[in-house]
Amino acid sequence: MKRLVLTGAAVLLALGASAVLLDPTRVLLGTLRGEPFYRGRPASFWRGALLDAAPGAQTNARNDLAEGQAEVVPLLVELLEKTPGAGRDAAEVRWNAAIVLGVIGEPAASAVPALTAALEDPERLVRVSAADALGKIGPAARDAVPRMAALLQTDEPVRLLKSLRRLRGVNEAAFPAVLDTLTHDDPEARENACETLGEMGPPAKEAVPKLTELLNDPNEKVRGEAQHALDQIVPKPAD
């Protein structure tokens, strides 16, 4: 009996290997695994397409996926959530999936939970690309703001601030972290922090002392944006 079980297992393994060799589209395996499909191809097929080293292949795959808009979002979420590992290939799939979700933008709102979780990905490029995508999705990404703000001191503050600025009107939870970024070593980060606070308007009045200090910043652009932010937060009385 034990021998029969082992023989059956061997047959299944052989069939599985044959399926991979004889079905490069992975339709059979994708169906058996219950993977989401797009254009008649399962998630595992698109995972491979996003790793294709041929010139232009990855770009073409991203463009094809982006054309799917809301229809392809479940598949992209699958790639983002179910391609684990710290290896280069796994990270590249997650990174590409986040990029495509950003290209889709607002119609990808259902991906917000997966993108929010990706803000804690072990790979920096995946985290930053997820933040970019959340910013492009817009107000539906409001719940992700605290985690996006938490990355300001550890990842790429300029890109993260630009993503937060896209969430104008729903990004108030980022205020403390943006305020801290006013003292960042990178002048471009300080400049973008000023812009973000200025766009928050009067609710950002607690930033006035630090913004006032930046009127003496050694960087001209930072000084200009600090003044502009102050004008937005503390509007001058009408004549």
Side-chain angles (χ1 to χ4, degrees), residues 169-185:
V170 297
N171 62 5
E172 61 277 359
F175 175 80
V178 177
L179 188 64
D180 288 343
T181 311
L182 290 177
T183 57
H184 199 282
D185 291 339

Side-chain angles (χ1 to χ4, degrees), residues 58-185:
Q58 290 187 25
T59 300
N60 290 337
R62 287 198 301 264
N63 290 341
D64 288 343
L65 287 165
E67 288 176 3
Q69 293 290 295
E71 175 192 350
V72 79
V73 170
L75 185 145
L76 293 167
V77 168
E78 172 102 354
L79 295 179
L80 191 60
E81 293 184 325
K82 297 185 179 180
T83 311
R88 179 180 178 275
D89 285 355
E92 194 164 359
V93 171
R94 299 195 301 273
W95 169 65
N96 275 305
I99 287 176
V100 177
L101 287 167
V103 172
I104 294 172
E106 189 175 346
S110 62
V112 167
L115 288 166
T116 303
L119 295 174
E120 297 181 2
D121 194 277
E123 295 295 328
R124 179 186 57 82
L125 276 177
V126 178
R127 296 193 299 269
V128 176
S129 297
D132 286 344
L134 288 162
K136 291 173 181 175
I137 287 172
R142 179 175 195 156
D143 290 345
V145 168
R147 288 195 190 181
M148 292 171 69
L151 297 178
L152 283 173
Q153 298 302 319
T154 59
D155 287 321
E156 298 180 30
V158 174
R159 285 182 66 178
L160 286 161
L161 284 164
K162 287 180 178 179
S163 295
L164 284 166
R165 288 181 63 196
R166 287 178 177 270
L167 300 178
R168 183 175 180 176
V170 297
N171 62 5
E172 61 277 359
F175 175 80
V178 177
L179 188 64
D180 288 343
T181 311
L182 290 177
T183 57
H184 199 282
D185 291 339

